[in-house]
Amino acid sequence: MEIQRLIRAAIDVLPTSYVPYSHFHVAAALLCGDGTVYTGINIENAAYTPTVCAERSAFFRAVNEGKREFAAIVVCGGKDGKVTDYCAPCGVCRQVMREFCDPKTFRVILARSETDYREFTLEELLPESFGPADLKG
Ligand code: THU
């Protein structure tokens, strides 16, 4: 799938984010190994800590449906839903990506528009990481 279409999928769901506290909208579009796409939005909570980021929303939707292979994720967001800058995934979301993705090949795309984006591997965003293989004896 083209990056542009993945970015469009994320931008399209940005208004759905539930952000009554921060007013900082974030959306993600996760491309699975089989070509399917799962979007996610951030969902905040009055008790604050139960808040879930857009990236984890997308991953958990996909994993719930049995997906285990992932190629790329687009992230976009901004205050009041205006995407003025690149929105990088938080550390917790990077670690969730690490659970399911090969750090050397999984692509994290931070988009401001369909033509304005920055691309990283997960390894670039989460070097020297701890993953499932570390638990094997
Ligand atoms: N947020 C995300 O959805 N993804 C990130 O990686 C960064 C932060 C959300 C969480 C919260 O709803 C809002 O942005 C402000 O932190």
Side-chain angles (χ1 to χ4, degrees):
M1 183 197 240
E2 289 168 37
I3 287 178
Q4 278 71 26
R5 280 178 56 206
L6 204 57
I7 294 172
R8 176 44 51 198
I11 291 172
D12 282 350
V13 296
L14 195 55
T16 317
S17 16
Y18 178 75
V19 289
Y21 308 107
S22 75
H23 304 286
F24 193 91
H25 296 248
V26 185
L30 175 63
L31 178 62
C32 303
D34 64 4
T36 53
V37 173
Y38 286 80
T39 57
I41 42 95
N42 53 337
I43 304 170
E44 298 187 343
N45 189 282
Y48 289 8
T49 55
T51 293
V52 178
C53 292
E55 299 90 321
R56 273 176 289 150
S57 286
F59 263 92
F60 294 158
R61 284 182 79 195
V63 172
N64 262 282
E65 297 208 357
K67 308 297 176 183
R68 294 291 186 274
E69 301 208 342
F70 303 101
I73 191 167
V74 163
V75 186
C76 65
K79 193 85 179 167
D80 300 319
K82 295 184 189 78
V83 182
T84 55
D85 213 340
Y86 304 106
C87 181
C90 78
V92 173
C93 288
R94 293 176 199 205
Q95 185 64 35
V96 168
M97 294 174 198
R98 176 68 180 84
E99 184 67 24
F100 298 102
C101 306
D102 179 346
K104 289 194 186 306
T105 59
F106 185 70
R107 297 150 74 199
V108 182
I109 297 151
L110 315 182
R112 292 205 301 193
S113 74
E114 281 152 283
T115 52
D116 178 0
Y117 58 88
R118 299 179 67 193
E119 185 176 327
F120 303 88
T121 63
L122 179 56
E123 188 172 55
E124 288 174 311
L125 297 184
L126 192 69
E128 303 299 333
S129 60
F130 187 87
D134 293 299
L135 290 180
K136 295 196 177 115

